[in-house]
Amino acid sequence: MTSADSRTHSITALSAEQFRDDVQDLAALLADAVDGNTSVGFLAPFGRDEAAAWWAAQQPAVDDGSLTVWAARGPGGIEGTFALALNPKPNSRHRAELIKLMVHRAARGRGLGRALLATAEREAARAGATLLLLDTETDSPAEHLYRAAGWTHYGTVPGYAADPAGTLRPCSFYFKNLTGRAPAPPPIR
Ligand SMILES: CC(C)(COP(=O)(O)OP(=O)(O)OC[C@H]1O[C@@H](n2cnc3c(N)ncnc32)[C@H](O)[C@@H]1OP(=O)(O)O)[C@@H](O)C(=O)NCCC(=O)NCCS
């Protein structure tokens, strides 16, 4: 199996300026995922213009640092992405959410998704997060990836979101403790 890791792709965080420049390439990835009937928040038909508008609407969060978007560049340009959303609540600054992990259909099955996930975990920890959360369509390829990477399943909600074709699907919720330690139990009173 060809490996799509740091030897074949450079995975980097986009500065606010790079993000603005890369919106069209990120839009192509998002439109490809929806075209493949992946449940990533949108209904079909969902073209590149709508995908670009969605990414462009994230610019203020990228500008203020609450959202960091990462891109994997390979032979076909940007072939994968993920974003980390830091939680702004005063009591939740240790928590981040992993969103929009995607690999272009033409680049799947060669380890890029696993490399992106490992980067997300490492970089979330580097940014100070100790707890990372995500949700994903139940029994999707993504769910297999998260389970294989040691994420903890904490629930499944039936009929949570519609897939691009409009069919309601269950959604599974996962977390990963980035400290490698279980959180301390609350004190006994
Ligand atoms: C999920 C996704 C990012 C995986 O990307 P990828 O580059 O194909 O993944 P990899 O090649 O690194 O595979 C890593 C692991 O994922 C799982 N996996 C990937 N594709 C799979 C499939 N079709 N069926 C079952 N498991 C699969 C496996 O556990 C695999 O490990 P293995 O090869 O040792 O069996 C990609 O399928 C994708 O972009 N899907 C659409 C978007 C999406 O659903 N994102 C998640 C939103 S929460």
Side-chain angles (χ1 to χ4, degrees):
M1 190 167 87
T2 314
S3 169
D5 56 15
S6 54
R7 285 166 291 179
T8 53
H9 287 77
S10 79
I11 302 176
T12 54
L14 302 177
S15 68
E17 293 71 29
Q18 287 168 329
F19 176 74
R20 189 175 286 108
D21 290 346
D22 285 335
V23 155
Q24 290 302 330
D25 287 356
L26 293 167
L29 261 182
L30 181 55
D32 176 71
V34 178
D35 194 45
N37 205 34
T38 305
S39 193
V40 282
F42 307 98
L43 294 172
F46 184 77
R48 280 207 196 184
D49 289 350
E50 288 157 290
W54 184 83
W55 281 115
Q58 311 313 309
Q59 186 76 50
V62 174
D63 290 347
D64 71 22
S66 57
L67 185 76
T68 312
V69 180
W70 291 70
R73 287 175 211 275
I78 295 183
E79 297 182 341
T81 189
F82 69 84
L84 289 171
L86 299 177
N87 194 301
K89 291 181 195 159
N91 70 344
S92 304
R93 296 218 169 101
H94 64 295
R95 217 165 68 211
E97 193 179 356
L98 171 60
I99 62 169
K100 299 287 181 282
L101 173 71
M102 296 180 289
V103 171
H104 194 280
R105 281 179 291 178
R108 288 185 194 165
R110 288 180 281 139
L112 183 54
R114 196 184 299 109
L116 285 165
L117 182 59
T119 304
E121 293 173 14
R122 189 187 66 234
E123 295 301 327
R126 205 201 295 260
T130 54
L131 181 63
L132 195 53
L133 297 137
L134 63 81
D135 61 75
T136 193
E137 186 181 329
T138 304
D139 214 20
S140 61
E143 182 169 24
H144 290 272
L145 169 61
Y146 303 135
R147 281 186 183 272
W151 284 63
T152 303
H153 176 244
Y154 67 93
T156 293
V157 180
Y160 185 81
D163 67 16
T167 305
L168 286 180
R169 304 280 181 195
C171 183
S172 295
F173 292 78
Y174 282 83
F175 73 86
K176 193 162 196 179
N177 182 324
L178 301 178
T179 65
R181 305 188 302 270
I188 298 165
R189 284 185 241 216

